[in-house]
Amino acid sequence: MRERDEGRGLSRRRMLGIGGALGLMAATGLSASAALARRPSVTGAELRSAVPLPPPFQVPLPIPAVLKPVSTSGGADRYEITQREASAEILPGVRTPLWTYEGAFPGPTIESRRGRPVTVTHRNELPVPTVVHLHGGRTPAASDGYPTDLVLPGGWQEATPHTGHGSAQEAHGAQGAHGAHGAHGAHGMHDPRAVVTRLTRDYTFPLDQRPTLLWYHDHRMDFTAPAIWRGLAGLQIVRDDAEDDLGLPAGPRELPLMIADRAFAADGSLDYPSLDPTLRERPGVREPYLAGVLGDVILVNGAPWPVHEVDAARYRLRILNASNARHYELEAVSDDGRRLDLVQIGADQGLLAAPVTHRLLPIAPAERYDVIIDFSGVPVGGLVRMVNRLGSGRTREVMAFRIARKATDDSRIPRVLSTDLPSWRRSEAVRVREFDFRVGRMHGGHGWLIGGLPFDPARSDVTTRFGDVEVWRLVADVHHPVHLHLVGFRVLSRSGRPPLPHDAGLKDTVSLRPGEGVEIITRFDGYRGRYLFHCHNAEHEDMGMMANLEII
Ligand SMILES: [Cu+2]
């Protein structure tokens, strides 16, 4: 197995920075399909930590605490989350300052039931404005965390105009007062529809949607990537009776796994190549990292290469790739080199119709996979490593499971998991749209563009009628994990061929590979209002790769 890896090591480990992208696409005149033929496995550049890193599989896997509601009356649950600075011992013996939800990274998990509304009052005690988005939530626009719907810190003063990308368009007006409408993006674009609050904001989530794993994270205009990197990410789980009745592994045999890479500076802080480390004024990252920021430490639930003791039984792994730019191809390998099946039961937007068995599971930033793994065939004392086939050196390991004891197991994997998946047909689509996701010129520098344009909150990009079914064709230069707010979609095709096995089910993020064209189909319903679609490589998102989606 090792030899085979070495044989294709060169291409497997090739990383594509923005220079590489431009080199492939523009300077040499290579077409997208030629770029695809070279198959770079990663888009982005890796930071190297300046502190000693611990050996793998020493730190126990943390399970994020479940947040207690402050009220459950009136058929709805109310929660309060304070966003504040905290520090944590992520690497043994090293203190790391973080930006957190409730002092923890990941933030506390919110457990919720389908159709039971949840209101979360977020209080911003961080030094910068924030925005909360519940990724995968079917949420009214007012609570969806539009990037200019800022929650300002108590004492926030409007920053002086930065000279960021040197654009003449960057004329800032005066920021509106307390609770005012209107906000400015860092590139000086006034957004008259923004609803800005000071200190707190109530986000209301009806959760009238299929049960699944959601995640909440920061979505502030121009500064989403560094804010998530500093720790602003947490999980929310939606359940319902039908799923509870399936007999899937549950309780301690259901594990949320938030995978994220990070790098550490010499003083123990999280390293990140921000142009403005205060994250107050000038957005963006240093040139080598424009295509994405990768870390050399793999965290699962905030712990480096953790280990978890398990029974020799089935487990349900609810995997989220919360990395800014890193892609993974996960496989589970036992001591004797045997690969365990990863039986996928759910996608971003809930249960599949039927299980799909993988040996190798690709997972792009923001994607979620609901997977059953069976440890019953592994001897007690054995170790099963979760390996990332796209990594090299330390980033090849993710975490491990140590089989601690024999155990009885009455869980099962039903052959039919759900019968409510939408089955939209091409013939139902009232229109087909095409969007190019490409590197390009933006504000005098390099940016990431959709249809040749960088994000502008004031521009109409897509306007669609409530209830319309549409087919979208998404075309990529390098890797772009494309995310639609509000709606789930089905993958119809990849470069004219049938979808891949892991494209099954209802998704809200689809991984475009270099040079690929992916067709998706969806119905725009749920709520009317202003939403977004964007690349979920968080650096691309901050540097232009978003667009407006208005449902009327
Ligand atoms: Cu992208």
Side-chain angles (χ1 to χ4, degrees), residues 210-213 243 345-352 370 418 421 505-506:
R210 307 181 84 232
T212 192
L213 175 67
E243 188 182 297
I345 58 165
D348 304 330
Q349 287 286 319
L351 292 167
L352 307 182
D370 200 344
S418 70
L421 276 173
L506 194 63

Side-chain angles (χ1 to χ4, degrees), residues 233-274:
L235 302 173
Q236 180 159 351
I237 299 176
V238 186
R239 305 181 189 276
D240 72 358
D241 294 345
E243 188 182 297
D244 291 349
D245 289 345
L246 290 177
L248 299 167
R253 293 185 187 165
E254 178 187 344
L255 299 173
L257 301 177
M258 179 194 281
I259 304 173
D261 59 338
R262 295 289 186 271
F264 292 81
D267 63 0
S269 65
L270 293 172
D271 197 9
Y272 189 85
S274 289

Side-chain angles (χ1 to χ4, degrees), residues 43 291 437-438 448-449 476-482 512 534-541 545:
T43 294
F437 289 73
R438 284 187 194 290
W448 295 94
L449 314 178
D477 55 359
V478 295
H479 292 92
H480 298 293
V482 175
L512 310 186
H534 61 88
C535 180
H536 220 293
N537 173 315
E539 281 76 32
H540 296 190
E541 172 181 348
M545 201 165 253

Side-chain angles (χ1 to χ4, degrees), residues 71-92:
S71 158
T72 57
S73 62
D77 299 330
R78 294 190 67 89
Y79 292 89
E80 292 174 359
I81 289 179
T82 300
Q83 305 172 4
R84 60 180 173 86
E85 294 177 282
S87 78
E89 188 176 331
I90 294 176
L91 303 177

Side-chain angles (χ1 to χ4, degrees), residues 90-115:
I90 294 176
L91 303 177
V94 177
R95 294 306 298 186
T96 298
L98 298 166
W99 286 0
T100 71
Y101 296 114
E102 285 291 298
F105 170 63
T109 299
I110 296 179
E111 282 278 355
S112 43
R113 304 294 296 185
R114 180 180 197 158

Side-chain angles (χ1 to χ4, degrees), residues 443-513:
H443 306 296
H446 292 133
W448 295 94
L449 314 178
I450 301 176
L453 299 171
F455 180 57
D456 179 349
R459 186 182 63 229
S460 292
D461 295 302
V462 170
T463 304
T464 190
R465 284 194 311 275
F466 186 94
D468 276 2
V469 175
E470 298 193 2
V471 169
W472 286 15
R473 183 156 191 269
L474 313 168
V475 181
D477 55 359
V478 295
H479 292 92
H480 298 293
V482 175
H483 170 48
L484 272 62
H485 285 215
L486 182 68
V487 293
F489 54 78
R490 310 288 306 262
V491 178
L492 285 177
S493 72
R494 283 185 180 265
S495 293
R497 287 190 283 275
L500 296 168
H502 66 275
D503 292 326
L506 194 63
K507 295 183 59 62
D508 58 45
T509 306
V510 63
S511 178
L512 310 186
R513 299 175 300 179

